[in-house]
Amino acid sequence: IEGSTVSEFPIIYYIASKMYGWFGFHDYYIRWLNYVIFFSAFLAVYFTSRIFIRDSFLAMIPSLLMMMSCVLVYYGSNYLPDAPALSFALIGFYFISKYHIESQNSDFYVGTFFVVLASLLKISSALIFISFIAFSIYQRIVLKNDSFNYKKILTLFLGLFILAGWVFYVKYYNQKGQYFGNL
């Protein structure tokens, strides 16, 4: 009715709008913001590879393979939330992998933040978040790993609560505007 709907979490658009307010409107602010996020994902893939592959040259191969995807590179600096969501998921995966190796609490919380942010941007990116929740519960309950304490499990469920809250808000907002499509 009012001509407005909502689907993805608008944090990138909000940051770009603040940049428009500070520096004046230009198209390249949101493109550069998306590209910086996208490039950070390449670094995260490289550093994740370095965790498992000790050779620096061989660890570059997964990032280089990602760079060969024309579609991925094209949308990396575009407006759609798919590339930033994938990027945040890959960054989160790096911190989760680093936590699994080094057991630093900060890596756990930063990784959780990034996978929740990826899920908020694009709900299909929640697959890594759901996998991380299942892995953490498995580590705690089945393997009795004390590094996955209940505080961390609670943090994961808080992220899940935030994600569910956003999805229900989107559904409510769109129904209020009488939009019943699939976003």
Side-chain angles (χ1 to χ4, degrees), residues 5-126:
T5 62
V6 67
S7 61
E8 70 264 1
F9 192 67
I11 188 69
I12 294 174
Y13 303 124
Y14 177 76
I15 293 170
S17 71
K18 289 297 178 187
M19 293 172 78
Y20 296 155
W22 296 331
F23 306 115
F25 179 78
H26 200 282
D27 200 23
Y28 58 78
Y29 293 128
I30 194 166
R31 290 184 185 275
W32 275 104
L33 182 63
N34 282 339
Y35 190 73
V36 166
I37 294 168
F38 187 60
F39 183 73
S40 300
F42 285 123
L43 291 175
V45 168
Y46 169 74
F47 289 126
T48 304
S49 299
R50 284 286 294 159
I51 291 173
F52 300 106
I53 304 170
R54 298 293 175 201
D55 187 4
S56 297
F57 179 74
L58 291 177
M60 285 191 294
I61 292 176
S63 293
L64 292 174
L65 288 174
M66 282 181 60
M67 285 292 286
M68 289 182 186
S69 170
C70 298
V71 172
L72 196 58
V73 171
Y74 175 77
Y75 286 110
S77 65
N78 237 320
Y79 297 105
L80 295 178
D82 299 64
L86 174 65
S87 299
F88 285 138
L90 292 172
I91 293 168
F93 184 73
Y94 162 68
F95 284 105
I96 291 165
S97 300
K98 189 176 171 192
Y99 171 75
H100 185 64
I101 301 298
E102 298 176 4
S103 296
Q104 294 284 332
N105 288 334
S106 61
D107 291 334
F108 180 88
Y109 296 119
V110 171
T112 302
F113 170 77
F114 278 111
V115 294
V116 168
L117 186 59
S119 303
L120 287 170
L121 286 176
K122 195 76 173 166
I123 197 68
S124 60
S125 295

Side-chain angles (χ1 to χ4, degrees), residues 1-6 173-174 176-179:
I1 292 175
E2 300 160 0
S4 61
T5 62
V6 67
Y173 184 86
N174 290 338
K176 189 175 81 172
Q178 296 186 357
Y179 179 77

